[in-house]
Amino acid sequence: MEDLQSRGPVLLLLLVTLICSVSANVANIAGSLTAEYELINHNPGGSYYASIILTNHGSTPLGATGWSLYFCHENVVQFNRFNISNGEYLVTRRGGFVLSHVKGCMYKFTPSPVGFQAIDINQRRRLTFLAAASISGIYDIYPNIYVADNTQSALITNTNSYRNYVAPFNSIFQYTRDPPKDPVLPVSPLRSYAVLVNQTYPVLTPGDIIPTPLMKRATPNKLIIDSSWRLYTNIPRLIVDGLMEYVKRKLEMSESPNEITQNVILFELGNPPSFVENSDEWYNLTITPTYRYVRIVANTTAGLFNGFQTFLNIRKIKTTTSQNKVTEVPELVITDSPRFQHRGLLLDVASNFMPVPTVMKLLHIMALVKLNKLQLLLANDYAVRLEIDGMPTFHTVGSRRCHDESENSCLFSQLGSDPSGNGLGSGYYSIQDYLDILSLAKQLHIEIIPMWNFDSNMRASEIAMRAYSKATNDRTMDWSLPQLDKTSHLKQNMFRLGKVDPCAGETERFIRTIVATIKSYHAIADYPLKTFSVGGDDTDIPAWIDKCRLRNKDVTTGHPYVQTKLEFTKMLVRVAIENEVTLNAYDNQFTAFPTLCFNSTDCPDWMMPFNGSKWYPPNFDVSVTHRDPRVIFQNRLRLRGHNATANISDHENETKLKMFQRNGYKSIISTQDVLDLSVKEEPGPYVPGELPFGRSPIPVQHIFSMWPESMCCSRYECFPRTNPAGYMKLPLHPDPLCLEDPRAKGPIGMQASISTRKVRTESELFQLLFPRLFAVAERAWHRGNWENTVRLPIRNIHAARIAEIQDFQKFKAILGTHLLPMLDNERALYYMTPPGAVMRNITADLRDMRRAVSAKTEYPGFVAQIKTDKMSAFEDVVDNKVYDSLQTEFRTRNKQSTRHSRSEIVRTTFPDKYAREHMIIMHNLAANSSLEFPIQTRFRNQDDATGVNSYSIIHGLPLYFDRDFGEFFNKTGYQVFLQRKPVLIQHHVARMQQHQRQFLNGHGASGTRASNPNTRNAGGPVPMGANQNMMNAAGPVPMGTNPNMINRRQNVG
């Protein structure tokens, strides 16, 4: 014992030395390494090969002990070896490392005791793996790969920005998601020019702004406002004090205490005309040079504020000869009101934190275009972003992401967070921060709608609540059941935790605390909380049943899930009533049966919402956000079997939007295919945003051209496959999916959304939001006369299309000459597209590299620039100027020359490299039948058991193509297809002959499969043995594909 005591200090010193040496080892390893992420190729049907390439730049070889490599990867790595039930891999070695899943998007490679070879000095080690789905560009690849042991972590510094460690996208196998049949190619300058060259912009008239006013009458006359002008209102100060203070700051103009009639901007209250909608926001703006006044009349301060925003939009700041600044405005009269009362944006600040200055800048821009709702997602699986008074441990743990697998001190690192817990991924709004946001929002008449996920995405709240309970020994709000941590089903984001417990009293107490606390913040800011959003994503049925069973609260009557969900929803309604707020959620929350259904037993009535008049108190408002409002119940009838079309009830022909409105809900349109601004504006690996497998880009025009009030469809969503009521039915098209109901109330508003899972900075956020959010503002405020709505059904689609194009050209003219320069002044970095450009031969000699260049920009007021391989800097393009170059770069600059777009490189001999590569591959496929992929040419050997060489080729490659049917096959499917091909050809010929006879006899479309030219695989049934995932859903791909067929930018000429 004495000997042990005498050696105690020595043992302690050895322990400290060992810990320090391990920590130093992790730091040294990270400091020695650089990492590179390389996408090798996408595979047909939705998977891809990628590599993480490690290079040792240190002075010693890197051994196998004391470290693992951690990285975030949203798409499941080696999905073919992953057991989704227990979350573990079959032993999977890559490059001598063993792969394992940690949680969420986080994976780790650990040096294997068997087969790992030391990484020598200056040696590269490639870890190649197969992953699910697809990558659309560098923004899909998360930064901050790091090295860690059991206690310490250290960042591989070159990975803190994807631009520093992601290998270039140079091949069609990389920048298309389903090669070679995927037609979504990056936009080239040549194809862009073909669209832009035909566009003509109208001459703007005084008062042309975004959003478009309801009524406007203007003259060419101008009014000059100088320093002698004053503000005046006779409205009681209690009503307009905040508004007048805002106006004085914006105009730097003082207020007159006495009534004046000239050289004055007047604010008055008045009654709206009978024909306007949403009269609470109506205003009338009169500007008269004759009587020298500006007059804004409304019946609320919100209307006065809208009128003042219109004034700010039409004014021009000019400098006189004496260097004094004056304001010039046109003579006009505007009467205006919005079509929707809810015009909003859902901003996710939970996944990745957005600081207060960014939110405030966004609020100012939203006010400029009269958007009036900002829904802030404050808590989801990835973080809690708001300080909760009296619960300090809760938000400090819930808002911080670091390397702590136990998650006692923070949430485990996700979405490329800095493992130190500082910087990217961590942060929260203090109480004062939130009050500052509320104060500005109140001035700008923008309602802040807090959103806290009380659904299947409560992981951050659950972990933070555990930490708070442990620190305070207060378990009154801790609903967690640790015994389910490792057995609960994995969610889509690869987490187990975070599914709300509907049977726990602790859950209800937590929800009441959060809502009451946030309401108190609004009361302090003197901006009362009006609406609270609770998320609403469904939880899987077993999770709720297991949680309730453990609490001895089994539901034994009726459908257990439905009964549990109904009681939970009624509890949310009670909390909302007690706090005097409107309850908002996704429609999933109010749908009786789960949206995660697999058979008719689970979901006998899939989309039916709870009856509002039956289950909720009278006059209680519930607003529902629809992400797929036009989904039709009949689409779900496949769950009922082969006789599904028998005994169809009336509501089974309704859209989800109609069904919810019939049950007493107020609907907000937030269609993902059009209003999800997380998706790229145009395809391309260096364009901000994501482009999930199967999704299409969302350009400005798709948002501008939507029909938000149409119950059936928007033009880009369904036409011409469906024909809304009143349209001329074409012979080969099916019946309309639904009919417009003139008595329907329609939605109360529309709302765009943006997730920040792949957004790390303000610059990336604003490039995704702008200019597309301006199109949202236009459609939410102004009803185009070309829209098909329940109120104004269009009878002539062609006339409507022409009117829409003209309207859109005017919209772009206003953007380019007015709104985007205003964003430049605010340092808001909107997305700027590269120019369209064409390079014309000036001689018949193909060896002559001289080309006459013409270029067009996306918006008027912007300038195309060029740089050849013989120039040291960019210069403005002069139309038809001749340049001699093998390689040329094009980019767009703004009017002030303060910023420019990314540059596009064009080879003189091959001006559209994307389309050319696609056509070459299709030509070779047609000639040779099979196509090898880069992964095959790189790794021709079989799997290496040790994983040192790190490759694994799936059985689906190479790819085989039949040009007669235009279909793709794997090897097995192709062999079977060749045996059946003669019979399939006979069937195809017989069907075509039958269809031709029916058509000539005047019967039109007979309903046979071959009668619909859009039908997939019109040549006959899918061959036995063929991999259906590898079939070409788009139909035949002809040899020498026309570049116009793969142009994803809409031709608006």
Side-chain angles (χ1 to χ4, degrees):
M1 183 68 177
E2 292 178 358
D3 183 54
L4 181 61
Q5 289 176 341
S6 64
R7 292 192 299 174
V10 176
L11 292 174
L12 179 61
L13 179 61
L14 288 174
L15 179 61
V16 171
T17 304
L18 178 61
I19 292 175
C20 291
S21 65
V22 171
S23 302
N25 185 49
V26 167
N28 290 338
I29 291 172
S32 300
L33 285 173
T34 59
E36 181 183 23
Y37 187 102
E38 180 190 19
L39 171 62
I40 299 173
N41 65 253
H42 285 103
N43 304 316
S47 65
Y48 61 96
Y49 284 104
S51 294
I52 294 176
I53 305 168
L54 301 176
T55 305
N56 179 10
H57 297 281
S59 57
T60 59
L62 295 182
T65 58
W67 65 288
S68 295
L69 186 76
Y70 287 78
F71 64 102
C72 174
H73 204 272
E74 185 174 59
N75 299 321
V76 181
V77 176
Q78 290 297 158
F79 58 89
N80 54 339
R81 300 183 63 81
F82 184 71
N83 186 336
I84 196 168
S85 62
N86 62 17
E88 297 180 358
Y89 281 96
L90 301 174
V91 177
T92 302
R93 296 187 181 92
R94 293 292 175 262
F97 291 77
V98 176
L99 173 66
S100 58
H101 175 247
V102 186
K103 60 188 71 177
C105 71
M106 291 301 291
Y107 298 81
K108 67 177 178 180
F109 278 117
T110 303
S112 172
V114 178
F116 181 85
Q117 298 177 359
I119 306 177
D120 289 333
I121 301 170
N122 295 324
Q123 184 185 16
R124 289 158 55 92
R125 177 66 51 83
R126 180 183 289 270
L127 288 69
T128 300
F129 49 85
L130 177 68
S134 61
I135 286 178
S136 65
I138 61 174
Y139 294 87
D140 286 331
I141 300 165
Y142 291 102
N144 293 333
I145 298 178
Y146 64 92
V147 172
D149 57 20
N150 292 330
T151 58
Q152 302 292 322
S153 64
L155 184 67
I156 299 178
T157 55
N158 81 297
T159 67
N160 62 3
S161 170
Y162 36 70
R163 293 187 179 275
N164 295 334
Y165 86 101
V166 179
F169 285 63
N170 294 323
S171 161
I172 190 173
F173 296 100
Q174 296 171 312
Y175 49 68
T176 60
R177 297 164 295 170
D178 192 6
K181 55 188 175 180
D182 185 0
V184 183
L185 300 178
V187 178
S188 69
L190 179 62
R191 277 177 284 129
S192 180
Y193 183 85
V195 174
L196 296 173
V197 71
N198 294 319
Q199 296 190 12
T200 56
Y201 300 105
V203 177
L204 298 179
T205 60
D208 284 342
I209 61 170
I210 296 172
T212 302
L214 179 64
M215 298 174 63
K216 183 193 74 170
R217 186 174 71 253
T219 75
N221 300 330
K222 307 294 182 185
L223 172 65
I224 301 299
I225 300 174
D226 58 22
S227 58
S228 68
W229 279 60
R230 295 292 180 266
L231 306 171
Y232 177 73
T233 182
N234 58 3
I235 306 172
R237 301 303 299 185
L238 186 63
I239 299 176
V240 294
D241 190 51
L243 173 64
M244 297 308 293
E245 292 301 316
Y246 172 77
V247 172
K248 284 189 281 188
R249 284 198 307 273
K250 291 293 286 186
L251 299 182
E252 298 180 350
M253 185 181 295
S254 59
E255 185 178 358
S256 172
N258 302 315
E259 182 177 1
I260 53 178
T261 58
Q262 286 192 338
N263 290 7
V264 63
I265 300 178
L266 300 167
F267 292 85
E268 300 176 3
L269 292 179
N271 295 321
S274 59
F275 58 83
V276 300
E277 301 174 79
N278 299 306
S279 58
D280 285 349
E281 294 188 83
W282 159 84
Y283 70 91
N284 178 277
L285 171 64
T286 303
I287 300 175
T288 168
T290 304
Y291 299 102
R292 297 191 58 75
Y293 68 75
V294 174
R295 183 170 174 258
I296 302 175
V297 183
N299 67 335
T300 65
T301 53
L304 293 172
F305 182 82
N306 289 333
F308 181 64
Q309 291 301 321
T310 295
F311 174 83
L312 293 179
N313 269 281
I314 63 176
R315 68 170 179 163
K316 294 181 180 179
I317 306 297
K318 295 194 172 184
T319 304
T320 65
T321 55
S322 56
Q323 299 303 306
N324 294 322
K325 288 187 177 180
V326 296
T327 298
E328 179 186 277
V329 290
E331 181 180 31
L332 53 70
V333 177
I334 288 177
T335 298
D336 200 9
S337 67
R339 76 189 295 183
F340 291 140
Q341 58 183 275
H342 185 113
R343 309 177 301 280
L345 170 68
L346 167 58
L347 173 62
D348 168 17
V349 295
S351 299
N352 274 319
F353 184 63
M354 291 295 142
V356 173
T358 299
V359 177
M360 289 187 164
K361 185 184 293 187
L362 175 60
L363 284 170
H364 280 292
I365 299 171
M366 289 176 63
L368 191 65
V369 290
K370 304 182 180 71
L371 293 170
N372 66 343
K373 312 286 182 184
L374 178 60
Q375 188 167 328
L376 287 177
L377 174 55
L378 297 170
N380 63 4
D381 275 342
Y382 295 105
V384 168
R385 298 300 187 189
L386 181 63
E387 177 183 357
I388 301 300
D389 192 25
M391 298 171 60
T393 310
F394 177 79
H395 62 264
T396 53
V397 171
S399 66
R400 185 169 176 261
R401 297 204 290 252
C402 70
H403 179 72
D404 179 4
E405 291 191 42
S406 68
E407 299 191 302
N408 291 323
S409 62
C410 63
L411 304 175
F412 184 61
S413 181
Q414 296 289 325
L415 306 181
S417 300
D418 189 322
S420 69
N422 301 310
L424 179 63
S426 299
Y428 66 90
Y429 301 121
S430 67
I431 297 175
Q432 188 57 53
D433 289 337
Y434 192 67
L435 293 177
D436 291 343
I437 292 173
L438 291 177
S439 176
L440 178 60
K442 180 183 177 182
Q443 285 187 3
L444 301 177
H445 290 268
I446 296 176
E447 180 186 353
I448 299 296
I449 302 175
M451 180 178 179
W452 200 292
N453 280 348
F454 301 136
D455 53 20
S456 62
N457 301 304
M458 290 185 71
R459 174 179 170 274
S461 295
E462 184 170 347
I463 293 170
M465 200 67 244
R466 287 183 183 182
Y468 170 75
S469 300
K470 184 176 180 181
T472 62
N473 203 28
D474 177 4
R475 293 190 55 83
T476 58
M477 293 185 290
D478 185 2
W479 66 88
S480 61
L481 293 168
Q483 59 266 48
L484 297 180
D485 285 2
K486 294 185 178 180
T487 59
S488 181
H489 289 199
L490 278 173
K491 298 186 289 187
Q492 187 175 1
N493 58 12
M494 302 294 283
F495 289 122
R496 295 186 188 277
L497 286 183
K499 302 169 185 177
V500 65
D501 189 337
C503 294
E506 294 87 346
T507 302
E508 182 174 348
R509 283 189 286 273
F510 173 76
I511 292 173
R512 290 181 182 278
T513 299
I514 295 299
V515 176
T517 301
I518 295 178
K519 179 185 177 183
S520 71
Y521 297 164
H522 283 250
I524 295 171
D526 194 25
Y527 198 33
L529 179 64
K530 297 178 181 178
T531 305
F532 195 98
S533 181
V534 297
D537 285 329
D538 267 336
T539 304
D540 59 278
I541 295 176
W544 274 15
I545 292 177
D546 290 346
K547 289 174 184 285
C548 293
R549 183 178 297 120
L550 286 172
R551 298 187 186 280
N552 296 317
K553 294 186 178 180
D554 291 27
V555 177
T556 57
T557 59
H559 193 294
Y561 182 92
V562 174
Q563 293 297 321
T564 303
K565 188 173 185 180
L566 175 60
E567 293 304 317
F568 181 68
T569 303
K570 288 165 65 178
M571 181 271 290
L572 293 175
V573 170
R574 290 195 301 270
V575 173
I577 292 173
E578 291 167 7
N579 288 277
E580 299 177 313
V581 298
T582 295
L583 183 66
N584 169 265
Y586 293 127
D587 50 32
N588 299 4
Q589 177 65 58
F590 307 108
T591 303
F593 288 88
T595 51
L596 305 174
C597 292
F598 300 100
N599 57 62
S600 57
T601 304
D602 279 345
C603 308
D605 209 355
W606 190 334
M607 284 166 40
M608 179 61 69
F610 297 126
N611 189 318
S613 60
K614 179 178 180 180
W615 298 113
Y616 312 145
N619 302 319
F620 176 70
D621 283 341
V622 180
S623 65
V624 178
T625 303
H626 298 287
R627 291 173 289 189
D628 52 351
R630 300 181 181 94
V631 168
I632 295 178
F633 194 97
Q634 202 168 1
N635 293 353
R636 314 301 194 187
L637 294 178
R638 65 181 185 276
L639 294 172
R640 297 189 180 183
H642 297 295
N643 60 345
T645 55
N647 301 318
I648 296 176
S649 62
D650 290 341
H651 80 263
E652 289 171 345
N653 283 315
E654 292 180 325
T655 60
K656 184 186 290 187
L657 178 65
K658 278 186 179 180
M659 189 177 297
F660 270 83
Q661 291 188 338
R662 182 167 55 81
N663 281 275
Y665 296 85
K666 294 182 177 180
S667 295
I668 299 168
I669 300 298
S670 187
T671 312
Q672 282 189 310
D673 287 347
V674 185
L675 296 175
D676 181 2
L677 303 187
S678 311
V679 175
K680 294 174 182 283
E681 182 172 335
E682 61 181 8
Y686 303 104
V687 177
E690 59 185 46
L691 195 61
F693 190 81
R695 294 285 300 274
S696 297
I698 304 177
V700 176
Q701 188 176 4
H702 281 206
I703 301 172
F704 179 88
S705 304
M706 74 178 296
W707 304 334
E709 285 175 315
S710 171
M711 294 290 185
C712 288
C713 61
S714 289
R715 182 166 65 81
Y716 283 106
E717 292 172 322
C718 351
F719 192 82
R721 288 172 298 170
T722 61
N723 297 275
Y727 285 162
M728 180 181 68
K729 189 179 185 314
L730 301 181
L732 299 182
H733 290 160
D735 292 330
L737 288 178
C738 67
L739 298 177
E740 296 290 346
D741 183 359
R743 299 165 298 175
K745 293 180 180 179
I748 64 169
M750 58 186 285
Q751 177 168 284
S753 65
I754 184 165
S755 166
T756 56
R757 288 179 303 107
K758 297 178 181 178
V759 178
R760 291 106 191 177
T761 65
E762 178 186 293
S763 171
E764 293 175 16
L765 176 69
F766 283 179
Q767 286 189 73
L768 287 169
L769 288 178
F770 305 112
R772 293 185 293 180
L773 193 60
F774 295 145
V776 175
E778 173 70 10
R779 282 288 65 78
W781 182 276
H782 178 71
R783 183 181 294 108
N785 60 11
W786 39 264
E787 291 185 48
N788 177 69
T789 72
V790 295
R791 304 180 185 187
L792 299 171
I794 296 292
R795 301 300 176 187
N796 188 326
I797 188 64
H798 304 292
R801 170 66 172 149
I802 293 171
E804 176 206 317
I805 292 172
Q806 293 172 344
D807 216 2
F808 183 60
Q809 300 291 31
K810 179 180 176 181
F811 175 83
K812 290 179 67 176
I814 299 171
L815 281 182
T817 59
H818 178 60
L819 269 182
L820 296 183
M822 291 180 74
L823 292 191
D824 286 326
N825 294 335
E826 296 294 328
R827 300 179 186 274
L829 302 181
Y830 52 89
Y831 180 65
M832 189 184 298
T833 58
V838 63
M839 305 172 69
R840 302 182 182 90
N841 293 13
I842 62 171
T843 68
D845 186 357
L846 297 180
R847 295 170 298 178
D848 188 349
M849 294 294 104
R850 292 177 298 164
R851 298 290 187 271
V853 174
S854 295
K856 295 284 186 179
T857 58
E858 185 75 25
Y859 300 104
F862 288 73
V863 179
Q865 293 192 301
I866 187 172
K867 177 186 171 187
T868 70
D869 50 17
K870 298 179 182 179
M871 298 164 56
S872 58
F874 280 91
E875 66 177 38
D876 293 349
V877 173
V878 177
D879 195 39
N880 282 321
K881 181 178 177 180
V882 175
Y883 295 88
D884 186 0
S885 173
L886 288 174
Q887 183 170 286
T888 306
E889 291 183 64
F890 293 97
R891 74 181 188 188
T892 301
R893 70 164 176 85
N894 63 354
K895 185 176 181 180
Q896 300 94 326
S897 297
T898 54
R899 59 183 297 252
H900 54 78
S901 71
R902 73 179 187 278
S903 62
E904 283 284 344
I905 299 175
V906 176
R907 291 189 61 83
T908 303
T909 50
F910 307 119
D912 191 342
K913 63 177 182 180
Y914 309 117
R916 178 178 183 272
E917 185 177 8
H918 185 269
M919 286 188 286
I920 289 175
I921 287 176
M922 294 308 303
H923 177 77
N924 291 340
L925 254 179
N928 303 317
S929 296
S930 66
L931 175 67
E932 283 197 341
F933 280 61
I935 188 73
Q936 295 172 280
T937 58
R938 180 170 295 176
F939 303 120
R940 289 192 173 277
N941 301 325
Q942 299 300 315
D943 271 349
D944 178 18
T946 66
V948 173
N949 293 328
S950 183
Y951 51 79
S952 176
I953 311 301
I954 61 174
H955 68 278
L957 299 179
L959 191 67
Y960 291 83
F961 175 72
D962 182 81
R963 62 180 177 179
D964 294 322
F965 283 84
E967 296 287 1
F968 294 90
F969 304 93
N970 60 19
K971 185 174 182 179
T972 303
Y974 191 57
Q975 292 172 345
V976 175
F977 170 78
L978 290 179
Q979 295 174 4
R980 300 191 59 207
K981 185 175 179 180
V983 177
L984 293 174
I985 290 176
Q986 292 178 1
H987 288 174
H988 175 71
V989 171
R991 287 189 179 189
M992 293 301 294
Q993 290 173 345
Q994 179 187 13
H995 169 65
Q996 186 176 19
R997 287 194 301 269
Q998 291 171 339
F999 187 78
L1000 293 175
N1001 290 334
H1003 295 298
S1006 65
T1008 61
R1009 186 175 185 179
S1011 68
N1012 186 348
N1014 293 323
T1015 301
R1016 177 182 177 214
N1017 191 30
V1022 177
M1024 293 176 56
N1027 183 350
Q1028 293 195 34
N1029 290 331
M1030 300 179 68
M1031 304 303 288
N1032 177 24
V1037 180
M1039 288 176 54
T1041 304
N1042 187 335
N1044 292 328
M1045 296 290 291
I1046 48 182
N1047 175 26
R1048 304 303 295 177
R1049 187 178 286 178
Q1050 292 295 320
N1051 189 333
V1052 298

